[in-house]
Amino acid sequence: MKLCKYIGLTIVLLVFGLTTACGSQADTHVIVAGSTSVQPYAELLAEEYKHLYPERAVNVQGGGSSAGIRAVESGIADIGMSSRSLTGSELDLWAVEIAKDALALITHPDNPVTHLTLEQVRGIYTGRITNWSMVGGDNAPIHRITREAGSGTRSAFEEMVMADELIDKRAVVLNSNGAIRQIVAGNSNAIGFISLGLVDYEGLEPVKALELEGVAPTQENVLAGEYNLYRPFLFVAAEEPLGDSPTRLFIDFVLSEDGQNLLKGEGLIPIFT
């Protein structure tokens, strides 16, 4: 799986304009935009899909969950990627869950802390806990890393961990899971949260996933109902794609045994178990 540079919705607009300008080519292309958490997996799926069906093309761009949903609503994208549940007027859209993704709290491998409670994580991100010694670690300041507002990853973390409390404004804000992973891998005092599938990634500097309430973040523990910090990965469309439209064909591939096995191999929890 390739980690790609995440680029914004403005690029999606440009790609859409260029594709439309190509006339009939737009009829066979599928534009996918949204969550930077879902993006690398969608890119992998698109690569395999192109390998199986060379005459078909799927263009995947980032921008964030909310941006992807807006792109679908405005007709810019065929599929929006969301790493959070839909809310409010978004519920009028059609959506399908393509996989589940556990969130993992990560630190540098040299950090002696191996586990935290939900209350401790909440305390760290509200700013009540500011030193690793307060949770059994070294006497060193905690460098908190979080995602940006509007991110599906952040929304899921706020809902499942923060309850009604707010993330401290002094936390460092980054715009992708990959960026958080990179910073934590290079900072022995940092903590962040990312997709489980990105924790053990070949070729990148290692990070350490923490146990939460004594349970390790693994696919097996999610399926067993023991690790509860997970969220849905959704494909969203203005209306349900039907028949043999390019969008429907790609979604059917993603939901197929081959597509689901590919996602499982990348650390996600497939919808069919």
Side-chain angles (χ1 to χ4, degrees), residues 30-50:
V30 177
I31 305 297
V32 183
S35 167
T36 56
S37 297
V38 183
Q39 182 183 358
Y41 305 103
E43 287 172 343
L44 186 65
L45 288 162
E47 289 176 6
E48 179 63 18
Y49 188 66
K50 180 67 173 178

Side-chain angles (χ1 to χ4, degrees), residues 111-140:
N111 191 318
V113 173
T114 60
H115 60 276
L116 293 170
T117 66
L118 272 174
E119 185 59 36
Q120 287 173 327
V121 175
R122 194 176 302 120
I124 288 171
Y125 274 91
T126 58
R128 291 193 299 271
I129 297 176
T130 59
N131 194 289
W132 282 110
S133 63
M134 300 170 70
V135 290
D138 295 333
N139 181 18

Side-chain angles (χ1 to χ4, degrees), residues 4-27:
C4 294
K5 181 180 179 182
Y6 298 142
I7 50 184
L9 189 57
T10 54
I11 301 300
V12 178
L13 290 167
L14 176 59
V15 171
F16 180 79
L18 291 175
T19 306
T20 303
C22 292
S24 61
Q25 189 178 34
D27 295 333

